[in-house]
Amino acid sequence: MVQGTMSNAGKSLVVAGLCRLLRQDGYRVAPFKSQNMALNSYITEEGLEMGRAQVMQAEAAGIRPSVYMNPILLKPTSNVGSQVIVNGRAIGNMPAREYFEYKKQLLPEILAAVEKLSEDYEILVIEGAGSPAEINLKENDIVNMGMAELVDAPVLLVGDIDRGGVFAQLYGTVELLEPGERSRIRGLIINKFRGDKSILDPGIGMIEEKSGIPVVGVLPYMDIRLDDEDSLSGRFEERKEGIIDIAVIRHPFISNFTDFNVFDAFPEAGVRYVTKVRELGAPDLLILPGSKSTVQDMRWLKERGLDAAILQYAEQGGIVFGICGGYQMLGRRIMDPNRVETGGETEGLSLLPVETVLEPEKVTDQRTGTFGRVSGPLEELTGLSYRGYEIHMGKTIPQEPTDDFTEAGIGCSRGNVYGTYIHGIFDESPVAGKLLSILAKRKGLSETVGTGEDFSTFKERQYDRLADMLRQHMDMDRIREMMGLPSERK
């Protein structure tokens, strides 16, 4: 099991790296996280919803994602509550206090998922959540030390040196644990280190002496481009330069921003996240991404004045693209008569002649298809195949005839404005490549733009790089020993 001193310490990447490394060594390995809180999710072949991080880790392990790898998913709908998804199906929204009392009832589901995975895989690499030293949450813990105890797993504890105070993080976490919990931690990992490792040696010696736990790895700061778990993503602060400028509106309940990771495979593409009018500028493409609380996020756009800026951008011929909640915002109205989110209704941007009614039944489907006769500046997408998935609780109804963009009811367009319910719409590299080529030609640039690496090949290379880093900077012999594995598989 991999736990962390805090959220975003690097647990997800360490788990992914171990999954790829152990797979390379010939083991059948799978990731597992009993409870995940994230707005980045995925729909399996069975139409079940799970966290994106475990999908990424399953890819690293070379296996098909399964909801058994993430039996409980919490998707925040407000600052004090979340939608609760169990075994891929939403069971309703709960305030934090109600869920805190309820979660112990989910232990049988967690154990059943572990048992099912154990039938098919030799090794499970388990990820914790947040920190095991969140002493206010330790009662009925099902995701950190409580999980380690359930399955009798040795624990690696990861600290983030990039945010400072890593020795205090590690030592404080260990000291706040009960003796039995402390004894489960078999190795410490310092993550995101920049510089000369020898400078750390005195601190490493002291933390090992004080904690009685060896430091089994000092991982360098790695620019590994893989799916992010949640809103703590470093991507939001990045300003990747590219000759093609893509701006994504970062509203408070942004979801599935992994939709734009495909552009990592294209060095010409720069993706940046925008929260203020002054940040918008004049991008080549403006995207409204998914939202877990569309009504609230639409109101946020208006409060910030971003609605007027988006309308002005569209009037000047800029290409606007909405996905899922962003598609709903492009319409005339969003209505929530059943209080699926917060209730009430709000006016949309009216860039597409559609209206959305939020409904209690959640749509979760994988989708494949072909772009129909696309009109407007993206007409060269016509005939290309796409693959993705739907996750939404609304029905969007055209009020006037529109051009089908993906499929009727799933997406439409008018002029330079495009909307679709399909997440992952750009993930097929020919689609992303053609989109970038279109944007380049609009700027008078070379038509060779958009000929980057296939996205699946790009991700495989990232997983291999990650595994190589772990082999180089972690004491894998000691880790194999604590797992009861031979130093080399015969």
Side-chain angles (χ1 to χ4, degrees):
M1 185 171 193
V2 178
Q3 298 184 15
T5 57
M6 63 180 77
S7 293
N8 207 36
K11 300 183 295 291
S12 295
L13 279 184
V14 171
V15 169
L18 287 171
C19 283
R20 173 51 61 104
L21 186 157
L22 292 166
R23 177 204 177 198
Q24 290 172 341
D25 289 350
Y27 292 99
R28 289 179 289 109
V29 58
F32 180 80
K33 187 168 184 174
S34 58
Q35 173 190 287
N36 198 346
M37 177 176 280
L39 288 177
N40 285 341
S41 61
Y42 174 82
I43 300 302
T44 68
E45 293 175 3
E46 300 82 9
L48 303 173
E49 189 173 4
M50 63 182 291
R52 237 2 249 224
Q54 281 62 63
V55 174
M56 178 267 289
Q57 293 159 356
E59 287 182 347
I63 58 177
R64 186 172 62 88
S66 162
V67 290
Y68 293 122
M69 299 169 188
N70 176 212
I72 305 167
L73 175 61
L74 306 178
K75 301 187 77 171
T77 56
S78 69
N79 291 331
V80 294
S82 297
Q83 182 182 66
V84 180
I85 297 164
V86 179
N87 291 326
R89 299 290 188 197
I91 64 171
N93 294 349
M94 291 188 191
R97 169 57 62 181
E98 181 182 345
Y99 177 72
F100 185 75
E101 298 296 330
Y102 172 78
K103 65 179 182 178
K104 57 190 173 185
Q105 299 180 38
L106 298 174
L107 275 176
E109 307 294 345
I110 293 170
L111 291 173
V114 170
E115 183 176 351
K116 178 61 178 175
L117 290 175
S118 299
E119 293 173 1
D120 298 324
Y121 301 101
E122 298 169 274
I123 298 172
L124 300 187
V125 185
I126 304 172
E127 180 181 346
S131 164
E134 291 169 344
I135 51 182
N136 57 311
L137 300 177
K138 284 181 66 173
E139 184 182 0
N140 303 320
D141 171 47
I142 59 173
V143 69
N144 285 309
M145 283 300 174
M147 185 69 230
E149 184 175 351
L150 278 174
V151 295
D152 193 22
V155 174
L156 298 175
L157 180 65
V158 182
D160 180 357
I161 197 171
D162 194 53
R163 285 192 273 180
V166 72
F167 295 115
Q169 292 174 34
L170 293 167
Y171 184 68
T173 299
V174 170
E175 284 300 300
L176 283 170
L177 298 176
E178 301 294 331
E181 298 171 329
R182 199 176 304 148
S183 66
R184 289 197 175 276
I185 301 181
R186 305 285 296 281
L188 307 176
I189 297 172
I190 296 173
N191 193 27
K192 306 180 190 177
F193 178 66
R194 308 173 195 246
D196 184 345
K197 179 183 173 295
S198 65
I199 297 173
L200 281 182
D201 288 344
I204 289 174
M206 181 176 288
I207 195 72
E208 290 183 332
E209 180 184 350
K210 285 186 171 295
S211 68
I213 303 169
V215 173
V216 297
V218 177
L219 298 175
Y221 197 99
M222 296 179 280
D223 184 23
I224 302 289
R225 311 299 293 182
L226 294 170
D227 286 353
D228 308 273
E229 181 174 60
D230 55 29
S231 59
L232 290 175
S233 171
R235 291 177 183 270
F236 291 156
E237 311 306 324
E238 290 177 352
R239 290 293 182 269
K240 179 190 170 189
E241 297 293 330
I243 58 175
I244 304 300
D245 180 25
I246 301 172
V248 180
I249 300 296
R250 181 191 168 188
H251 38 64
F253 292 95
I254 183 172
S255 66
N256 283 72
F257 54 87
T258 50
D259 287 343
F260 319 118
N261 290 0
V262 62
F263 296 115
D264 289 341
F266 296 86
E268 316 98 314
V271 178
R272 56 191 176 88
Y273 290 84
V274 173
T275 60
K276 301 178 179 68
V277 171
R278 67 173 182 268
E279 297 171 345
L280 183 57
D284 301 306
L285 175 66
L286 175 60
I287 299 177
L288 276 71
S291 166
K292 190 65 191 76
S293 193
T294 313
V295 171
Q296 289 187 81
D297 279 344
M298 186 66 234
R299 290 170 180 163
W300 176 86
L301 283 181
K302 294 176 181 178
E303 290 167 2
R304 293 266 173 142
L306 278 164
D307 59 332
I310 293 167
L311 291 173
Q312 182 180 30
Y313 172 83
E315 288 168 4
Q316 293 172 349
I319 302 174
V320 181
F321 202 112
I323 300 176
C324 199
Y327 173 32
Q328 296 172 346
M329 292 179 201
L330 292 176
R332 293 173 177 170
R333 281 198 305 166
I334 306 164
M335 295 162 280
D336 187 11
N338 301 301
R339 296 192 63 83
V340 172
E341 295 179 354
T342 57
E345 64 178 68
T346 187
E347 299 297 314
L349 293 166
S350 294
L351 287 172
L352 290 175
V354 299
E355 293 186 348
T356 297
V357 179
L358 301 183
E359 298 179 338
E361 185 175 353
K362 193 169 194 176
V363 177
T364 56
D365 288 308
Q366 287 196 353
R367 290 284 183 179
T368 58
T370 303
F371 289 103
R373 184 164 182 78
V374 180
S375 59
L378 300 187
E379 62 181 349
E380 290 182 50
L381 293 178
T382 300
L384 290 182
S385 297
Y386 60 79
R387 179 188 302 273
Y389 50 97
E390 290 183 77
I391 316 173
H392 58 93
M393 301 186 76
K395 181 177 291 185
T396 298
I397 306 157
Q399 305 301 299
E400 299 174 12
T402 59
D403 295 324
D404 285 348
F405 176 48
T406 42
E407 297 178 29
I410 299 178
C412 69
S413 66
R414 174 168 283 188
N416 55 319
V417 180
Y418 302 84
T420 182
Y421 269 121
I422 298 176
H423 290 291
I425 190 73
F426 306 124
D427 280 5
E428 296 294 298
S429 293
V431 175
K434 177 58 70 175
L435 175 66
L436 293 176
S437 174
I438 292 168
L439 298 178
K441 283 190 282 188
R442 280 169 61 90
K443 298 181 76 169
L445 300 174
S446 168
E447 293 189 22
T448 61
V449 171
T451 56
E453 187 175 13
D454 176 77
F455 190 38
S456 60
T457 303
F458 173 82
K459 288 194 290 184
E460 285 296 302
R461 188 162 55 83
Q462 299 299 302
Y463 295 131
D464 287 338
R465 283 183 58 215
L466 181 57
D468 290 345
M469 284 288 192
L470 266 58
R471 287 188 193 277
Q472 182 179 351
H473 297 284
M474 285 173 52
D475 187 344
M476 287 308 303
D477 285 341
R478 182 171 270 175
I479 291 170
R480 289 187 185 93
E481 181 183 356
M482 71 178 67
M483 295 173 65
L485 300 176
S487 58
E488 292 184 13
R489 187 157 199 186
K490 297 178 180 178

